[in-house]
Amino acid sequence: MSVSISTRRANMENRNCPAMKKRRLEVSKWLQGLNFLSLPEDIVSKITAEITLKEAVRMSAVCSNLRRAWIYHPNLDFDISIVPASGIATVHEHSSKHKRNQHSGQHNRMMGIKTFIDTVNLILEEHSGLAVNRLAVKFGLHKAHANAIDRWISFAIASKAKVVALDFSPYLGPYENNYSFPYHLFHKQNSSHLQVLRLYCVTLDSSHDFCGFSNLTTLALEHVLILQDFQFLLLKCPSLEWLSIRLCPGLHDLHVDEPLEQLKFLRVQGCAINRIKLHAPNLTSFEYRGGSKVHFALNECLKLKTASIKFNVEENLEYVFTEIPNGLPYVEALHVEVTVKTQIHGFTQAPLRFIYLRHLTMKITFANAKRFGKNAVLQLAYLLEAAPFLVDLHLDIAGKNCL
C-alpha cells in the first residue's frame, strides 16, 4: 500500500514537469475536435482527468465543444490557484509589511476567503456530481466556515468520492478554532465509498454515533486535535491499511484492544505520546519520530520487519538497546537516529537481544561529550552483543571529542 501511495505522490509532483505540460497541451488540442455531448459520461470523465480542473474550466471558456466537459472532471482540487487574481491579492494583502492598518488587512483577508468559498460553491453547483474520484480543499479555513465546508463534504458523499482531503494548514491558528470533522453527515448507506481520508488542521470531536468507514484504507492526520476515543475511530475502519499521525495534540496513548487486521503501515511523528500498543498481524512497516521514553508494544506484530525510530535526546543508548527489542522483537531492518549525552554510570550491557535483526543503520550525535566524558562511543560495543545475528551495520557518528 505504501508503495502505491508513494507512486501516486510522485505522479502528482510531476504534473508540472515539461513533459506533463506538453502532454496536457496535446490533450487539450485533441479535445477541441471532439463532440463531448455524444460521448458516454464515464469516457468524458476519463478524458478530462488528463488535465487539471482549472485547465478544464479555462478551456470551456474558449471552446464550444468543451463548454460543459469540465463538469465531469473526477478530481476536484481546490486551492488558492482557483481564486481570481484580485481575490488572491486580498488573501495575501493582510500579511504585507506595507498594509495601511490592521482593520484594512483583516477586511481584505475576509474578502479573499469569501471569494474562495464562492468559487468552490459555484463549481460544485455546476458539476454533474458523476464519477467523482477526489475532493481536496487546501485553504486557510476554520470553524467559522463550517457551513460551507459541510456542504462540500455533503457533495463528496453524494458523488461517492473515494478520496477526501481537507488541508486547512495555511490557517494554523488556535486549535479551538479548528473545523470539526462532520461525522453526522455519514451513515451506513453513504460512508462505504470513502477509501482515503486526509485531514490537516481539523478537530476530531467525540462521536459515539459514528457509523464508521467500512472501506477506508488510508488515514492521514496532521495538526489534528483529537478529542475523541481514537481507539473507537480505528475500530470503525476495519479495512485500514495505512495510518499516519503527525503533530497531533491530545493523543497520548495509541492503543487498540482488538486486532487491526488489515493495517500494514504505521507512522507516528511529533506527538506527545506515551504508549503505542497495537495488535496488527499484517503490519510490515513502522515509523516513529519524537520524544523518548515512549513504550512500544508491537510484539504481537509478527510481520513487522522494517522500522525507523528517531528520538530527540537520550541520556545514553540503554533505552535503544532495551525498549526497541522488547517492543519490536521481530524487526529485521532497523534505522535509528538519536542524540545522546554520554555513557551514564550504571549502564553496563544490553539485557535484551535483537534476535531477528539483520540490517541496522544508526545515526548518532553525541552532545556535550567534553563535559560528560570521552567514553560515550564505547556504548556502541554492545551492538555486537545485542544483535548477534547482524549481517550489516552502518554507523553515522557526529559530535566533538566523542572518540
Side-chain angles (χ1 to χ4, degrees):
M1 183 65 180
S2 59
V3 174
S4 63
I5 290 173
S6 299
T7 302
R8 289 198 295 271
R9 287 175 178 167
N11 291 339
M12 288 298 294
E13 292 172 356
N14 290 331
R15 288 186 68 89
N16 293 322
C17 69
M20 287 298 293
K21 289 182 178 179
K22 180 180 179 181
R23 180 184 178 187
R24 293 202 300 270
L25 179 61
E26 293 173 348
V27 170
S28 64
K29 291 181 179 179
W30 175 69
L31 289 175
Q32 295 181 20
L34 290 178
N35 181 4
F36 270 79
L37 298 179
S38 65
L39 296 176
E41 293 172 353
D42 60 331
I43 299 299
V44 173
S45 178
K46 290 180 180 179
I47 294 175
T48 55
E50 293 294 324
I51 58 179
T52 67
L53 176 62
K54 183 179 180 180
E55 290 168 335
V57 174
R58 183 183 300 162
M59 287 195 306
S60 71
V62 298
C63 178
S64 58
N65 284 346
L66 298 174
R67 192 58 50 91
R68 292 182 58 80
W70 69 269
I71 69 174
Y72 299 105
H73 202 289
N75 297 318
L76 304 176
D77 299 324
F78 301 113
D79 57 25
I80 198 170
S81 67
I82 70 166
V83 180
S86 58
I88 294 176
T90 61
V91 170
H92 288 297
E93 188 173 345
H94 77 287
S95 61
S96 173
K97 294 181 179 179
H98 304 289
K99 65 184 180 183
R100 294 182 177 180
N101 54 64
Q102 185 176 2
H103 176 75
S104 175
Q106 179 68 15
H107 172 75
N108 290 336
R109 180 176 181 273
M110 293 175 62
M111 290 301 298
I113 292 175
K114 183 180 183 303
T115 301
F116 176 82
I117 292 176
D118 290 345
T119 303
V120 175
N121 287 339
L122 178 62
I123 291 176
L124 295 186
E125 287 172 3
E126 294 292 328
H127 198 277
S128 67
L130 301 174
V132 174
N133 174 64
R134 180 177 67 241
L135 174 70
V137 179
K138 183 175 182 180
F139 204 80
L141 305 176
H142 47 86
K143 69 180 183 181
H145 314 111
N147 289 337
I149 302 170
D150 284 354
R151 288 196 299 271
W152 303 342
I153 295 181
S154 294
F155 173 88
I157 294 172
S159 304
K160 302 179 181 180
K162 299 181 179 66
V163 181
V164 171
L166 303 178
D167 184 353
F168 304 139
S169 58
Y171 165 62
L172 284 179
Y175 282 106
E176 57 266 26
N177 290 332
N178 279 3
Y179 168 77
S180 293
F181 187 75
Y183 291 113
H184 63 279
L185 297 179
F186 295 90
H187 52 73
K188 290 184 178 180
Q189 287 71 36
N190 68 19
S191 63
S192 61
H193 303 287
L194 188 61
Q195 298 178 14
V196 178
L197 179 61
R198 300 182 182 279
L199 301 177
Y200 305 81
C201 291
V202 172
T203 292
L204 292 179
D205 287 316
S206 178
S207 177
H208 288 284
D209 295 329
F210 176 50
C211 63
F213 298 122
S214 59
N215 292 313
L216 189 74
T217 61
T218 300
L219 177 61
L221 307 176
E222 183 168 341
H223 284 291
V224 171
L225 180 59
I226 300 175
L227 299 178
Q228 70 168 153
D229 180 359
F230 197 56
Q231 175 180 198
F232 175 80
L233 173 62
L234 294 180
L235 290 177
K236 289 290 186 175
C237 305
S239 301
L240 191 63
E241 298 180 4
W242 197 94
L243 175 60
S244 176
I245 309 169
R246 299 188 67 248
L247 302 169
C248 294
L251 182 63
H252 304 295
D253 190 1
L254 177 58
H255 79 280
V256 180
D257 296 329
E258 299 179 25
L260 298 177
E261 298 287 352
Q262 304 302 320
L263 189 64
K264 298 177 182 178
F265 174 87
L266 173 63
R267 173 191 294 144
V268 180
Q269 294 183 351
C271 301
I273 201 161
N274 300 316
R275 179 176 63 158
I276 300 176
K277 182 179 181 180
L278 301 176
H279 175 30
N282 290 299
L283 185 67
T284 60
S285 182
F286 172 60
E287 296 179 7
Y288 174 82
R289 182 170 188 170
S292 62
K293 301 302 183 282
V294 58
H295 174 59
F296 297 123
L298 302 175
N299 45 311
E300 294 187 58
C301 303
L302 304 183
K303 294 184 180 180
L304 181 54
K305 303 301 181 183
T306 303
S308 175
I309 311 294
K310 299 180 182 180
F311 292 126
N312 295 332
V313 178
E314 273 295 314
E315 293 292 335
N316 54 34
L317 291 175
E318 182 175 11
Y319 183 79
V320 175
F321 291 157
T322 55
E323 184 61 35
I324 296 180
N326 183 52
L328 294 78
Y330 300 102
V331 168
E332 296 179 0
L334 176 64
H335 176 89
V336 177
E337 291 187 23
V338 61
T339 297
V340 296
K341 293 182 178 179
T342 66
Q343 178 174 337
I344 302 298
H345 179 70
F347 175 60
T348 57
Q349 62 182 2
L352 298 176
R353 299 287 188 271
F354 291 96
I355 299 299
Y356 294 94
L357 190 63
R358 301 294 183 270
H359 312 281
L360 176 62
T361 300
M362 294 193 72
K363 182 177 181 179
I364 306 174
T365 300
F366 288 101
N368 301 322
K370 183 177 181 180
R371 177 182 175 186
F372 288 95
K374 300 181 179 181
N375 61 349
V377 74
L378 298 179
Q379 299 171 67
L380 298 178
Y382 291 115
L383 281 174
L384 301 178
E385 183 179 353
F389 302 107
L390 199 62
V391 174
D392 59 79
L393 170 65
H394 177 79
L395 290 177
D396 185 356
I397 302 175
K400 297 180 180 180
N401 301 319
C402 63
L403 297 177

